[in-house]
Amino acid sequence: MIISSAKPFEEILKLLKDEDDIFIIGCNACAAKLHVGGEPEVTMMQQRLEVNGKNVVGWVIPSAACSVASFDSLVEKNPAIREAKAILVMACGSGVSIIAGVTDIPVYPSNNTESLGGRSQGEVIPRLCAMCGDCTVYYFGGICPKGQCPKQLLNGPCGGSMEGKCEVDTDKDCVWDRICSRLEKMGRQDLMEKVWLAEEIEGQILCRN
Ligand code: SF4
Ligand code: SF4
């Protein structure tokens, strides 16, 4: 799941200050699950834009904004998009980019894309994976330090953890504490014996959201 959050409405209004006849595109995948691009949020956005003097010509919520085949497929769902002079996409950056690729109408984002995360037992969990392109999460018991340790340490903890909490993200448990417990539960402490060399690490850690 791509984790995104809604931009402040004032920022969206500023983005759209020279635009009118706006069409809104939501996303029934991640953004809907995160309550930043499903029907309730899209209709609320329509109302708020209209209250602020903008004409909203229509809206649509594709099953996934990042998987829209063509402009015609959007027209099929709601022909009012032909009247649009601007499109507001309530999805992650991937959805915004895909929509921008199928139309010449200016496309604006309503969300900030933050990380690759997930949702479990009703809880949204950000930064599960840093999308390094070389998945080695098995060595860490399925808990990725590239995505979840603020220092992206692969050879064990930094030593700054206090009472099991991360010294950087102090409200979170130290990722290495969790990795050790998990490997212990799996009976695979041997995996911790692997030493990651600089050349193995280099190029794997591409980003941290
Ligand atoms: S090893 Fe790479 S691909 Fe696998 S979870 Fe971590 S960051 Fe993501
Ligand atoms: S306390 Fe743990 S999670 Fe935090 S930076 Fe250090 S090793 Fe990483």
Side-chain angles (χ1 to χ4, degrees):
M1 170 185 274
I2 307 290
I3 307 291
S4 69
S5 62
K7 286 180 181 290
F9 183 68
E10 293 65 34
E11 186 182 335
I12 295 168
L13 262 189
K14 211 168 157 187
L15 281 174
L16 297 172
K17 73 178 167 38
D18 297 324
E19 302 288 2
D20 209 350
D21 299 334
I22 296 157
F23 190 89
I24 305 171
I25 298 180
C27 173
N28 212 18
C30 312
K33 289 188 178 64
L34 293 167
H35 308 295
V36 293
E39 186 167 336
E41 300 78 44
V42 167
T43 52
M44 177 61 73
M45 179 63 76
Q46 176 180 19
Q47 284 170 25
R48 293 184 82 185
L49 289 173
E50 286 174 348
V51 162
N52 282 275
K54 299 287 182 191
N55 180 38
V56 176
V57 296
W59 54 268
V60 74
I61 304 180
S63 48
C66 64
S67 182
V68 166
S70 64
F71 187 71
D72 287 346
S73 67
L74 293 170
V75 172
E76 253 175 51
K77 291 188 174 81
N78 189 343
I81 194 171
R82 288 191 196 283
E83 300 157 33
K85 297 202 177 62
I87 294 174
L88 181 67
V89 180
M90 298 181 69
C92 70
S94 169
V96 176
S97 303
I98 289 294
I99 301 295
V102 298
T103 177
D104 292 330
I105 301 170
V107 172
Y108 296 88
S110 78
N111 293 351
N112 291 325
T113 305
E114 295 171 359
S115 69
L116 182 57
R119 198 172 72 149
S120 179
Q121 297 168 349
E123 190 194 348
V124 174
I125 311 166
R127 295 194 296 271
L128 289 175
C129 166
M131 298 184 280
C132 73
D134 181 10
C135 195
T136 52
V137 74
Y138 162 75
Y139 287 95
F140 309 104
I143 301 168
C144 184
K146 297 176 203 174
Q148 300 186 54
C149 168
K151 297 180 186 174
Q152 298 189 313
L153 298 178
L154 304 194
N155 286 315
C158 64
S161 165
M162 293 277 283
E163 295 176 358
K165 293 288 176 193
C166 173
E167 74 164 350
V168 180
D169 290 343
T170 50
D171 56 332
K172 298 209 176 104
D173 293 336
C174 169
V175 168
W176 270 101
D177 212 50
R178 291 171 47 219
I179 292 171
C180 292
S181 306
R182 172 100 176 124
L183 291 177
E184 205 178 310
K185 261 192 213 155
M186 291 164 63
R188 290 306 312 269
Q189 295 99 316
D190 59 298
L191 290 174
M192 272 189 277
E193 286 165 21
K194 174 167 174 57
V195 176
W196 294 87
L197 303 173
E199 55 266 32
E200 287 177 291
I201 295 172
E202 200 180 338
Q204 285 195 16
I205 299 175
L206 300 178
C207 63
R208 172 171 162 76
N209 296 301

